[in-house]
């Protein structure tokens, strides 16, 4: 692309900025973004793209890590792009302007490789929107020699089938080593002048890469070769990113994020991330403290978040917090733990962590109201743990609480629903009685309910989702079961959850459904005000499909599943046994505190649990619940996982 064309595009896009909300989404130029131009033909041109707006993707940890890898790889030039908001999309389409990168206003179509992270299923139509806005063919089979290769990765890629037509390749598992290998292969083949087909052949030879075109079209038919998940075994010594791009506007993670551990061994049976990112690997306290201090000094940010799926599980979390507290005691810098556990919070963490955190709202996720159902999902904290945590948090100054539950979990009955209300009321009463009389009016409790979505590679992968009518009935029951009038109740739109369920366990028939829904106007499906069930229903009808049947599909334990060709390391027999144990309420222990439970990952993937110290000294023996410092950012489904690389 010539300099004149680039300037022309930039000036045309600039002229649109005074007509859109938040122009800073489109200007780039942030601290630590690489504004250099690619002036050498032999360099590999990479565009990293997030399939949602800058406000959500600007701090996405997967993009932060992948961008850093590109900057450190000789011969690679990297830029970024995000999906514009609907106002900007409309103007760009009206003016016939393609989606461009932030760094140098280059059309995505001019790059060698487009890397798109798949953070969740509801980004599916956004991916089509951004590829189309870039002027690139939506189907991999329609792309030619001059088109970029489009490669995806992230947690949703573990079931590649719904995305098989769109992506040329999908990367499965931790991205650090795998993405570097992908870059190396493509750089070499570009310099050798090799064809698109030869590049795909070479990528197919890398462990962890699924080449969509090489998969058979028939749904549920196993391919000749399984694709094995990649694991970054030496996570402990892999350098944390301490010079991330610092956005100009507020984003989902408006702070320095340091990933302190990867994986979770609690074994919650509904949780895909907990299953998919095993085994648990920790950075040392020294490495964490150094990353925080270096990162804060480099970026000038005044908050650092110690992120992971369950940060209070880190074997050295108390000394880490104490050291950071000492260092930043006399400054306005805050250290936060966005993912905590209820039981751990109730003991040591309330004392060491609360002093450093904003007294915003503290979010606990018991997930189920009854002990029986918490055992079914292997989240078997008891009521005493919850009451203890609330009492301790109140004593430490917290006044606002959010409680997360799920409706429609396997084996759920009306009694379980009513017990959600009873537990929420108990939390409210406990909090009110735990604070001085003059402060009781400050207590706020919000109850948030999501609809259970069965996910691939979990013990509940064989279960169907409840139909919409039954979900609505249970939500009505929840609303009319005596919830304290001071407790604010909200729930996730069940129709959005149904679409998530359709895609999460979908086969190749789902790709055309996504495409048809997008043609009918579906996009930003995770944003409730943008979501269009009409588009999805019409698309399903056009293709002779039923959304209720797709979301509610149950599989026999011995059935071949559409995602079986992806080897997550988890033994399918382990998942089946976990499912059967769930039906009788048997809990399974955490292998970082007890014996290996033979999930299969370590032996299968030649890796191991890697802790910075023993976890046996922490007071967690019965499982528990994760907690999050609440961020009132939309969409609610876009909570970042530290391991979405
Ligand atoms: S194989 Fe054993 S030690 Fe390794 S993650 Fe699974 S349960 Fe834990």
């Amino acid at each position: 692309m010539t300099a004149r064309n680039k300037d022309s595009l930039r000036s045309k896009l600039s002229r649109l900025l005074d007509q859109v909300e938040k122009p800073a989404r489109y200007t780039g130029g942030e601290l630590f973004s690489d504004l250099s131009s690619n002036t050498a033909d032999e360099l590999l041109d990479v565009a990293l793209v997030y399939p949602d707006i800058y406000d959500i993707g600007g701090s996405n940890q997967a993009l932060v890590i992948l961008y850093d890898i590109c900057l450190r790889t000789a011969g690679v030039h990297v830029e970024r792009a995000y999906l514009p908001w609907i106002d900007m999309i409309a103007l760009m389409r009206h003016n016939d302007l393609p989606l461009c990168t932030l760094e140098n206003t280059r059309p995505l179509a001019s790059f060698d490789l487009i890397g798109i992270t798949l953070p969740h299923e509801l980004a599916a139509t956004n991916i089509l929107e951004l590829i189309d806005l870039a002027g690139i063919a939506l189907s991999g089979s329609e792309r030619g020699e001059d088109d970029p290769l489009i490669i995806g990765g992230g947690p949703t890629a573990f079931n590649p089938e719904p995305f098989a037509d769109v992506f040329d390749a999908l990367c499965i598992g931790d991205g650090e080593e795998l993405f570097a290998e992908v870059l190396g292969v493509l750089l070499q083949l570009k310099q050798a002048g090799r064809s698109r087909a030869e590049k795909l052949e070479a990528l197919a030879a890398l462990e962890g890469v699924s080449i969509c075109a090489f998969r058979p079209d028939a749904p549920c038919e196993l391919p000749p070769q399984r694709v094995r998940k990649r694991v970054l075994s030496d996570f402990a010594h892999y350098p944390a990113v301490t010079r991330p791009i610092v956005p100009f506007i507020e984003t989902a993670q408006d702070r320095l994020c340091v990933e302190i551990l990867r994986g979770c061994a609690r074994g919650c049976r509904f949780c895909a991330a907990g299953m998919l990112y095993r085994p648990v690997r920790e950075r040392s306290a020294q490495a964490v403290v150094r990353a925080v201090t270096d990162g804060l000094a480099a970026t000038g940010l005044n908050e650092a978040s110690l992120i992971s799926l369950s940060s209070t599980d880190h074997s050295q979390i108390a000394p880490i917090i104490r050291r950071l507290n000492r260092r930043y005691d006399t400054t306005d810098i805050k250290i936060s733990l966005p993912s905590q556990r209820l039981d751990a919070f109730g003991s040591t963490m309330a004392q060491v962590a609360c002093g450093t955190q904003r007294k915003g709202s503290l979010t606990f996720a018991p997930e189920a109201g009854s002990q029986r159902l918490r055992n079914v999902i292997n989240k078997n904290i008891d009521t005493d743990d919850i009451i203890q945590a609330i009492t301790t948090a109140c004593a430490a100054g917290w006044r606002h609480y959010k409680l997360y539950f799920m409706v429609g979990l396997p084996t759920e009955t009306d009694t379980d629903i009513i017990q959600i209300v009873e537990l929420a009321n108990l939390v409210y009463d406990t909090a009110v009685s735990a604070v001085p009389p003059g402060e009781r009016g400050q207590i706020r409790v919000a109850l948030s309910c999501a609809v259970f979505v069965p996910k691939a590679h979990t013990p509940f992968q064989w279960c169907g989702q409840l139909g919409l009518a039954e979900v609505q009935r249970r939500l009505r029951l929840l609303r009319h079961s005596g919830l304290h009038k001071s407790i604010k109740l909200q729930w996730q739109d069940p129709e959005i959850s149904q679409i998530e369920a359709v895609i999460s366990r979908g086969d190749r028939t789902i790709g055309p459904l996504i495409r048809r829904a997008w043609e009918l106007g579906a996009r930003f499906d995770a944003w409730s005000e943008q979501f269009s069930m009409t588009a999805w229903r019409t698309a399903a009808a056009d293709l002779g499909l039923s959304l209720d049947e797709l979301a509610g599909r149950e599989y026999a334990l011995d059935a071949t599943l559409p995602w079986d060709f992806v080897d997550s390391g988890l033994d399918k027999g382990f998942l089946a046994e976990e499912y059967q144990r769930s039906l009788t309420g048997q809990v399974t222990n955490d292998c970082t505190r007890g014996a290996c439970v033979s999930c299969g990952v370590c032996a299968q993937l030649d890796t191991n649990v890697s802790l910075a110290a023993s976890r046996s000294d922490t007071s967690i023996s019965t499982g528990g619940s994760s907690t999050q410092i609440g961020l009132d950012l939309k969409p609610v489904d876009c909570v970042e996982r530290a391991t979405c690389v």
Side-chain angles (χ1 to χ4, degrees):
M1 175 179 208
T2 65
R4 180 183 292 178
N5 284 344
K6 193 171 82 179
D7 287 345
S8 161
L9 257 181
R10 182 173 291 161
S11 63
K12 284 177 182 170
L13 283 164
S14 297
R15 280 200 288 276
L16 304 179
L17 294 184
D18 62 356
Q19 302 171 57
V20 297
E21 163 191 314
K22 290 198 190 176
R25 285 170 176 157
Y26 313 107
T27 53
E30 312 98 311
L31 181 63
F32 298 136
S33 61
D34 179 12
L35 300 179
S36 65
S37 304
N38 180 3
T39 50
D41 280 350
E42 67 273 17
L43 290 186
L44 184 73
D45 259 334
V46 179
L48 297 177
V49 189
Y50 191 82
D52 209 312
I53 56 172
Y54 182 87
D55 315 38
I56 303 296
S59 55
N60 176 264
Q61 286 305 294
L63 246 67
V64 166
I65 292 170
L66 299 178
Y67 194 80
D68 181 66
I69 291 169
C70 290
L71 291 180
R72 290 190 284 114
T73 305
V76 170
H77 173 81
V78 64
E79 305 199 11
R80 292 162 300 138
Y82 304 86
L83 184 62
W85 186 236
I86 47 170
D87 54 355
M88 188 61 159
I89 291 175
L91 285 168
M92 288 169 69
R93 288 193 182 282
H94 180 74
N95 290 280
D96 202 19
L97 294 172
L99 182 56
C100 292
T101 51
L102 290 188
E103 280 82 352
N104 284 296
T105 322
R106 282 181 51 195
L108 290 192
S110 70
F111 285 78
D112 300 310
L113 166 63
I114 295 177
I116 303 176
T117 188
L118 285 85
H120 51 77
E121 292 82 358
L122 295 169
T125 54
N126 280 7
I127 291 167
L128 296 181
E129 181 74 18
L130 75 86
I131 294 173
D132 185 67
L133 196 58
I136 300 169
L138 290 176
S139 170
S141 60
E142 294 166 5
R143 291 177 205 133
E145 284 299 327
D146 293 334
D147 287 317
L149 286 173
I150 300 185
I151 299 183
T156 307
F158 277 86
N159 178 15
E161 292 303 78
F163 304 95
D165 191 47
V166 177
F167 285 94
D168 297 303
L170 287 162
C171 294
I172 311 294
D174 293 335
E176 284 90 345
E177 291 171 347
L178 178 55
F179 191 58
E181 289 171 21
V182 167
L183 295 177
V185 164
L186 293 181
L187 177 62
Q188 200 178 24
L189 295 186
K190 178 180 180 180
Q191 290 172 345
R194 297 303 175 86
S195 69
R196 183 181 183 86
E198 287 172 309
K199 290 172 186 168
L200 290 175
E201 289 275 3
L203 290 179
L206 297 179
E207 188 165 278
V209 177
S210 173
I211 301 297
C212 302
F214 297 172
R215 293 262 302 116
D217 283 328
C220 295
E221 198 175 297
L222 282 176
Q225 209 175 351
R226 283 162 70 79
V227 180
R228 178 169 289 182
K229 171 182 104 169
R230 291 293 292 269
V231 176
L232 178 65
S233 291
D234 197 16
F235 173 78
H237 296 106
Y238 193 88
V241 180
T242 54
R243 291 161 68 88
I245 290 170
V246 183
F248 286 134
I249 61 173
E250 190 176 344
T251 57
Q253 294 288 331
D254 204 20
R255 55 191 71 86
L256 176 74
C257 292
V258 174
E259 188 184 1
I260 64 171
L261 71 97
R262 190 168 292 183
C264 177
R266 293 288 180 174
C268 296
R269 291 171 175 137
F270 58 86
C271 179
M275 291 290 157
L276 291 172
Y277 289 98
R278 291 178 177 215
V280 173
R281 293 144 287 161
E282 295 180 342
R283 287 194 162 109
S284 69
Q286 192 180 10
V288 170
V289 171
R290 193 186 311 122
V292 170
T293 51
D294 289 355
L296 288 174
T299 59
L301 291 164
N302 66 356
E303 183 173 350
S305 186
L306 309 179
I307 63 170
S308 75
L309 291 174
S310 185
S311 293
T312 46
D313 274 346
H314 193 292
S315 58
Q316 296 184 314
I317 190 64
I320 289 171
I321 294 280
R322 283 197 199 98
R323 284 171 66 175
L324 292 171
N325 274 354
R326 272 202 302 273
R327 186 171 187 109
Y328 296 110
D329 201 22
T330 55
T331 72
D332 64 348
I333 286 174
K334 301 180 183 74
I335 307 297
S336 61
L337 291 162
S339 176
Q340 305 174 36
R341 289 188 62 84
L342 239 166
D343 41 11
F345 184 87
S347 53
T348 317
M349 291 316 300
Q351 310 307 325
V352 291
C354 285
T356 68
Q357 295 176 349
R358 265 199 294 251
K359 296 295 187 290
S361 85
L362 189 59
T363 302
F364 293 137
E367 313 288 6
S370 69
Q371 189 61 50
R372 184 198 71 79
L373 195 50
R374 285 196 293 273
N375 289 349
V376 166
I377 62 176
N378 208 39
K379 195 153 205 170
N380 54 334
I381 50 163
D382 59 30
T383 305
D384 285 349
D385 292 327
I386 298 168
I387 298 312
Q388 173 74 40
I390 297 295
T391 306
T392 312
C394 282
W398 296 92
R399 297 293 179 263
H400 298 178
Y401 300 94
K402 287 183 182 172
L403 302 174
Y404 277 9
F405 290 91
M406 273 188 279
V407 167
L409 285 162
T411 79
E412 182 185 78
T413 65
D414 285 1
T415 304
D416 297 308
I417 299 281
I418 291 164
Q419 287 187 272
I420 292 176
V421 174
E422 291 172 354
L423 185 57
N425 286 346
L426 183 60
V427 165
Y428 181 81
D429 293 341
T430 301
V432 165
S433 58
V435 299
E439 295 178 23
R440 287 178 180 163
Q442 297 173 17
I443 296 294
R444 301 273 183 280
V445 176
L447 169 56
S448 180
C449 278
V451 181
F452 166 66
V453 177
K455 299 275 179 161
H457 303 283
T458 69
F460 292 152
Q461 65 181 349
W462 294 277
C463 303
Q465 189 186 50
L466 279 185
L468 280 181
E470 178 59 14
V471 169
Q472 300 285 12
R473 187 193 70 79
R474 293 190 193 190
L475 289 172
R476 277 196 302 276
L477 176 65
L478 182 72
R479 199 170 52 192
H480 298 298
S481 292
L483 190 68
H484 195 292
K485 62 180 180 346
S486 297
I487 299 176
K488 190 176 157 200
L489 172 63
Q490 57 190 26
W491 55 72
Q492 202 174 13
D493 184 340
E495 292 180 336
I496 295 180
S497 298
Q498 184 176 71
I499 300 307
E500 187 182 350
V502 165
I503 299 170
S504 71
R505 296 185 307 142
D507 56 27
R508 286 217 172 185
T509 60
I510 302 307
L513 175 68
I514 295 168
R515 173 131 177 201
R516 185 70 190 126
W518 171 78
E519 287 167 353
L520 292 164
R523 67 215 66 200
F524 291 107
D525 292 313
W527 296 72
S528 52
E529 75 275 22
Q530 296 297 324
F531 176 71
S532 167
M533 193 61 173
T534 304
W536 282 96
R537 283 214 176 97
T538 308
D542 288 354
L543 298 172
L545 299 170
S546 157
L547 297 176
D548 262 348
E549 281 176 20
L550 291 168
R553 184 189 293 177
E554 292 182 353
Y555 288 103
L557 283 180
D558 60 355
T560 299
L561 304 172
W563 51 91
D564 272 352
F565 73 97
V566 174
D567 180 3
S568 64
L570 293 161
D571 189 281
K572 200 172 173 186
F574 165 79
L575 294 177
E577 195 182 323
E578 276 295 286
Y579 175 55
Q580 284 164 327
R581 286 168 68 83
S582 79
L583 297 178
T584 52
Q586 294 180 74
V587 297
T588 299
N589 72 272
D590 170 346
C591 67
T592 62
R593 294 181 175 78
C596 167
V597 296
S598 301
C599 77
V601 165
C602 291
Q604 192 72 18
L605 303 179
D606 192 22
T607 184
N608 221 325
V609 170
S610 166
L611 303 180
S614 168
R615 286 185 173 182
S616 55
D617 58 342
T618 51
S619 61
I620 303 165
S621 57
T622 57
S625 169
S626 64
T627 68
Q628 296 171 320
I629 303 300
L631 273 178
D632 284 318
L633 284 169
K634 293 185 292 181
V636 290
D637 303 291
C638 289
V639 177
E640 281 195 25
R641 293 292 190 182
T643 45
C644 300
V645 178

